[in-house]
Amino acid sequence: MKIKVYFENLGCAKNIVDSSVIAGHLIDRGYSITYSPEDADIIVVNTCSFIKPAVKESYEVIENYIKNKGKRKIFVTGCLVERDKGNIQKLFPDIDGVWGTGELGKFIHLVQGKDFRKTHRKGDISFCAYPDLFTPPHYTYIKIADGCNHRCSFCIIPHLKGRYKSKPMEMILREVSLLPDTVKEINLIAQDTTYYGMDIYKRFALLELLEKIDKIFRGWIRILYAHPLHITNDLLDAIASLENVVPYIDVPFQHISNKVLKRMRRGYRKNDVIKIVEAAEKRGIAIRTAFITGFPGEGEKEFQKLISFISQYKITRTAIFPYFSEEGAVASRFNAIPEKKRWERVEMLQDIISEISFRENQNRIGRRVQVLVDGKENGKFYGRTAQDAPDIDEIVWIKGNARQGKFINVKIEDAEDFALYSSPQGADIIEVPGEKA
């Protein structure tokens, strides 16, 4: 009987890909993957520690599995291991093993009861032969790089993940070519997708990669986790014109005040952000972004600049985070704004975004759009437009029958701040994407 392994994936989509790589190696060695922790012989907790709430969640999940361990083995990996080296097994002595970033070989040897031999250096990324293990059958994430060369003052990712390391283009294209026919959407991810290629090709190669994937994949191709420093007009032109690349880019701006951006060490200014936003709008490209409020030095004047920018450019696909002081980050030495004030600003910005989104969505009533059906909940099907990424953006509720993983034309009949309501129009099912709406 095969040994069953369950993965608990915390944090961002990059951890989903990492778990898929690990799981693939286990499958090749005769193990099986289960999606029920109760059925598992081994539980792998892939942790996140980007900000303090993620650290808290990771520890709580580990503690819960330890309490209900039984005869199962429990292993821990991910960013928390890099952040709290040597402490996790002291806190949880019943854990059967931990391994850090780029130490896949260590885990394989731990599971198989062999001595550890370091086979991967920090920052390495591996071929993923089973990219759809932890996502629905119709979309997947493909990691094109790992690590980060930026040195933002609030971030410890370079410390956790190491320097930027691109995955060779031929490896990525092979992963794409091996995707099953059920996959209708690819989401390209990295710490900074727009830096792709600089380490191994000595040039920005994301545009070339997009063009090559566009020729071999029929579906939606989406770019997540871009960096403002590397957004070019050529890249935006490609996003707008390539047949299968959706008119969408995820690019965290973090702030709009030049004073705050300088303290954050982001390397760009307000005018650079405005140029990106206006260039994307001109091409019909939706922007997904994120802002940090309450950063040290963000006075009322700087906060009002953030409000004005969001209100003027109506970027409703926006995540708002309060600043968290992270040990080891440069900004942890700055004088912090009171936590209560940070959360007040988060709530204020979220309310503004909600109001803007409601008004914008009201204007979409009566329009016809194409939707990729994600699933069914409480008896109703739901999906997303090409300008909405999985799990983080707006959903479209569908009246009547639909099929998960298929494209469908719908008419928007009602709208809320972050949800649209629709009914099918014309041909119910479309096997390949049509025009970019």
Side-chain angles (χ1 to χ4, degrees):
M1 183 179 294
K2 291 185 176 181
I3 297 174
K4 297 179 180 178
V5 185
Y6 173 80
F7 283 80
E8 184 72 53
N9 297 312
L10 306 175
C12 70
K14 292 183 283 290
N15 271 4
I16 292 176
V17 177
D18 292 343
S19 289
S20 295
V21 172
I22 298 165
H25 282 271
L26 293 177
I27 291 171
D28 291 342
R29 287 164 173 77
Y31 293 77
S32 67
I33 306 303
T34 179
Y35 299 97
S36 170
E38 290 76 18
D39 295 336
D41 303 297
I42 294 173
I43 289 177
V44 176
V45 183
N46 196 346
T47 60
C48 177
S49 65
F50 179 49
I51 54 178
K52 284 184 171 61
V55 174
K56 183 174 182 291
E57 180 189 22
S58 293
Y59 276 122
E60 288 174 349
V61 170
I62 295 169
E63 185 177 13
N64 182 63
Y65 279 122
I66 291 294
K67 287 180 179 178
N68 300 282
K69 182 179 181 183
K71 296 181 180 180
R72 296 174 295 190
K73 289 186 176 181
I74 298 174
F75 295 94
V76 178
T77 186
C79 295
L80 186 67
V81 176
E82 294 291 342
R83 181 169 178 149
D84 282 357
K85 278 184 185 256
N87 291 327
I88 295 177
Q89 283 197 292
K90 291 179 182 178
L91 290 171
F92 303 105
D94 289 331
I95 288 176
D96 294 279
V98 301
W99 79 98
T101 302
E103 293 182 330
L104 175 60
K106 179 178 180 179
F107 172 62
I108 298 301
H109 291 299
L110 284 170
V111 169
Q112 295 184 322
K114 299 178 181 178
D115 293 334
F116 163 55
R117 299 194 305 273
K118 188 170 184 179
T119 59
H120 291 68
R121 68 181 177 84
K122 185 175 181 180
D124 276 353
I125 52 179
S126 303
F127 176 76
C128 187
Y130 304 91
D132 57 339
L133 286 172
F134 303 111
T135 53
H138 60 285
Y139 70 80
T140 192
Y141 297 96
I142 292 184
K143 184 189 283 191
I144 65 173
D146 210 348
C148 186
N149 288 358
H150 297 292
R151 291 297 181 266
C152 303
S153 66
F154 55 84
C155 185
I156 59 172
I157 288 296
H159 169 69
L160 301 177
K161 293 286 190 177
R163 290 186 62 78
Y164 197 92
K165 182 176 177 61
S166 300
K167 184 185 292 186
M169 201 172 297
E170 59 270 19
M171 185 182 292
I172 298 170
L173 295 174
R174 186 182 169 210
E175 289 184 12
V176 173
S177 68
L178 291 175
L179 290 173
D181 291 339
T182 57
V183 176
K184 305 299 182 185
E185 177 182 6
I186 291 172
N187 295 277
L188 301 179
I189 59 173
Q191 302 299 331
D192 173 6
T193 50
T194 43
Y195 196 78
Y196 176 75
M198 281 299 292
D199 56 324
I200 57 176
Y201 303 124
K202 309 307 177 187
R203 67 182 188 276
F204 294 112
L206 177 61
L207 177 52
E208 180 183 348
L209 178 64
L210 282 177
E211 291 172 340
K212 290 186 176 183
I213 295 177
D214 186 68
K215 291 178 181 178
I216 63 174
F217 180 75
R218 291 289 291 166
W220 286 353
I221 303 167
R222 188 183 306 277
I223 302 170
L224 301 178
Y225 312 133
H227 194 288
L229 276 177
H230 314 306
I231 302 292
T232 64
N233 285 332
D234 286 345
L235 177 61
L236 294 176
D237 285 341
I239 293 172
S241 62
L242 289 174
E243 182 179 4
N244 298 300
V245 178
V246 297
Y248 176 105
I249 189 167
D250 173 81
V251 50
F253 294 133
Q254 306 301 9
H255 215 279
I256 199 64
S257 159
N258 288 336
K259 173 187 173 183
V260 176
L261 287 170
K262 184 177 180 179
R263 297 200 89 191
M264 286 181 167
R265 297 186 177 181
R266 291 293 284 172
Y268 53 86
R269 298 171 63 83
K270 174 183 177 180
N271 286 341
D272 300 313
V273 174
I274 291 174
K275 287 178 182 178
I276 293 171
V277 172
E278 292 180 346
E281 184 178 8
K282 180 181 178 181
R283 293 165 174 81
I285 298 171
I287 285 182
R288 167 79 187 184
T289 193
F291 292 109
I292 297 172
T293 188
F295 189 81
E298 183 196 67
E300 190 61 35
K301 180 180 178 181
E302 289 72 34
F303 181 59
Q304 288 300 320
K305 288 182 179 180
L306 193 51
I307 291 176
S308 297
F309 176 81
I310 291 173
S311 301
Q312 179 178 352
Y313 288 98
K314 300 179 175 63
I315 305 176
T316 56
R317 293 168 176 82
T318 300
I320 304 295
F321 296 98
Y323 167 72
F324 292 99
S325 178
E326 303 298 334
E327 184 178 354
V330 172
S332 65
R333 302 195 295 265
F334 300 159
N335 293 326
I337 292 173
E339 184 176 3
K340 182 180 178 182
K341 174 67 74 174
R342 284 178 257 160
W343 281 107
E344 287 175 352
R345 290 179 175 178
V346 168
E347 292 177 7
M348 189 180 302
L349 290 173
Q350 287 175 334
D351 287 343
I352 291 170
I353 292 167
S354 177
E355 291 175 7
I356 295 171
S357 184
F358 179 80
R359 292 196 300 268
E360 292 294 298
N361 280 349
Q362 289 297 303
N363 293 331
R364 300 173 74 179
I365 294 175
R367 296 183 186 179
R368 288 171 173 80
V369 296
Q370 186 184 92
V371 168
L372 177 58
V373 182
D374 278 332
K376 191 176 185 180
E377 184 177 306
N378 298 325
K380 294 183 179 180
F381 285 94
Y382 63 93
R384 292 170 289 111
T385 73
Q387 295 186 321
D388 295 290
D391 297 326
I392 57 174
D393 289 324
E394 293 188 356
I395 60 173
V396 181
W397 291 99
I398 304 164
K399 184 191 301 180
N401 193 32
R403 288 163 58 191
Q404 183 185 29
K406 299 295 182 180
F407 294 98
I408 186 171
N409 289 325
V410 301
K411 180 180 179 181
I412 305 302
E413 297 177 337
D414 199 1
E416 295 179 351
D417 49 359
F418 299 113
L420 302 170
Y421 298 87
S422 69
S423 62
Q425 293 286 304
D428 284 345
I429 301 299
I430 306 168
E431 291 302 331
V432 294
E435 294 181 354
K436 298 176 183 179

